Amino acid sequence: MTNLLVRLERASVRFDKLQVVDDVSLDVHRGDIVTIIGPNGAGKTTLIKTVLGLQPLTSGSIHKTPGLQIGYVPQHLQLQTTLPLSVRRFLSLTGASTKECQAALHQTGIPQVFRQSIHHLSGGEMQRLLLARALVRKPDLLVLDEPAQGVDINGQAALYDLIRSFRDQLHCGVIMISHDLHLVMAATDRVICLNQHVCCSGYPEDISHDPAFVETFGRPVAESLAVYQHHHNHHHDLHGDVVDERHSSQHQDACDHHVHS
């Protein structure tokens, strides 16, 4: 129990007559990466809002370890383009020091944007900035709602690698929502398939063969998920470009990816 960060027990959320989340139980411990997948309208964002304390439960219970620090990366961040806002100012709104803000940008691989306008960032840079903003809180739990949205396929893989590295460095837990099934299967420890209720859950390599998964996502999707060993001697940056080729002989990763065949 000492490593338990969050426990949901029979959690339900209803809006008037609409059942959005129904009887969901979930434990997240330090070191866990739990990915919630499901169709649009399945209640995924509502569920994590209960963890964040933004959405009360209609029934059931939630337990959080005392003093739990949560870092949150939202699905969307709408900013008026007429509002002058630098990356430096945006991060300082967390109350973190300049040194802490710069360190977080270094951790996420975008130290060069510190003095730039937030409106001039690419999709990959923006997602990493939001991740840096979550990291300055030194979180026990990272909550990520579609963290790779707006990032190309190679940039997504790099971002998921980064999330795993932060899990290892901080020994934190991670709850992540994603539709990127082909990459998430390699990026997570546990998958929960949600469609108001928990349809199925388990290890990534098992979940795609579960009948409930096939019923929710369709047989063609489930059958097209295949595991392969991707041996590469290069890195991709947040734009998906190949980098560090000079050191390729010193870097060879073997990482499982699930892709569409």
Side-chain angles (χ1 to χ4, degrees):
M1 288 291 289
T2 55
N3 285 324
L4 180 67
L5 299 175
V6 175
R7 169 168 287 169
L8 286 167
E9 292 185 293
R10 308 200 68 176
S12 295
V13 177
R14 177 184 289 273
F15 299 144
D16 295 326
K17 295 183 179 180
L18 179 64
Q19 190 75 42
V20 181
V21 175
D22 184 20
D23 200 28
V24 173
S25 295
L26 169 67
D27 283 0
V28 183
H29 296 79
R30 287 190 183 276
D32 284 347
I33 300 181
V34 178
T35 300
I36 302 171
I37 61 175
N40 290 334
K44 302 183 298 295
T45 296
T46 298
L47 182 65
I48 65 169
K49 283 183 176 179
T50 66
V51 175
L52 295 169
L54 302 176
Q55 176 61 54
L57 295 175
T58 304
S59 62
S61 64
I62 182 169
H63 167 79
K64 302 178 192 177
T65 189
L68 181 71
Q69 281 280 19
I70 299 177
Y72 174 49
V73 176
Q75 184 176 358
H76 300 290
L77 182 65
Q78 299 292 337
L79 295 170
Q80 291 291 333
T81 56
T82 55
L83 175 68
L85 183 64
S86 68
V87 169
R88 179 179 183 175
R89 175 61 177 158
F90 177 71
L91 288 177
S92 72
L93 295 174
T94 63
S97 67
T98 296
K99 184 178 180 181
E100 289 172 326
C101 293
Q102 289 177 316
L105 290 176
H106 273 280
Q107 283 181 287
T108 55
I110 52 169
Q112 74 281 0
V113 306
F114 185 59
R115 300 187 185 278
Q116 291 183 23
S117 167
I118 198 171
H119 303 296
H120 296 161
L121 302 182
S122 70
E125 287 169 339
M126 188 64 189
Q127 291 307 103
R128 290 189 179 222
L129 173 60
L130 293 175
L131 187 54
R133 184 177 180 271
L135 290 175
V136 296
R137 297 179 59 84
K138 298 179 177 59
D140 303 298
L141 178 67
L142 272 174
V143 179
L144 313 169
D145 193 350
E146 297 279 3
Q149 191 171 64
V151 182
D152 70 26
I153 189 74
N154 288 323
Q156 290 174 26
L159 192 62
Y160 287 130
D161 284 342
L162 197 62
I163 290 167
R164 284 200 303 272
S165 74
F166 292 142
R167 183 274 309 269
D168 295 339
Q169 293 170 26
L170 300 173
H171 191 48
C172 64
V174 178
I175 303 176
M176 180 164 54
I177 289 176
S178 182
H179 286 101
D180 306 310
L181 304 184
H182 54 296
L183 288 176
V184 163
M185 291 297 184
T188 189
D189 301 317
R190 187 154 42 106
V191 176
I192 294 174
C193 181
L194 187 72
N195 197 1
Q196 282 79 55
H197 64 284
V198 175
C199 301
C200 54
S201 63
Y203 294 111
E205 60 269 23
D206 298 329
I207 201 74
S208 63
H209 302 291
D210 191 291
F213 181 94
V214 175
E215 182 179 355
T216 301
F217 288 99
R219 185 170 300 278
V221 174
E223 289 180 347
S224 67
L225 291 170
V227 181
Y228 75 101
Q229 290 294 106
H230 175 195
H231 300 279
H232 58 85
N233 58 2
H234 57 269
H235 296 286
H236 293 284
D237 65 13
L238 69 165
H239 305 294
D241 298 324
V242 174
V243 295
D244 289 344
E245 289 186 292
R246 291 176 303 166
H247 300 91
S248 62
S249 63
Q250 299 175 11
H251 175 78
Q252 184 168 11
D253 289 334
C255 53
D256 287 340
H257 291 284
H258 296 246
V259 297
H260 291 92
S261 55

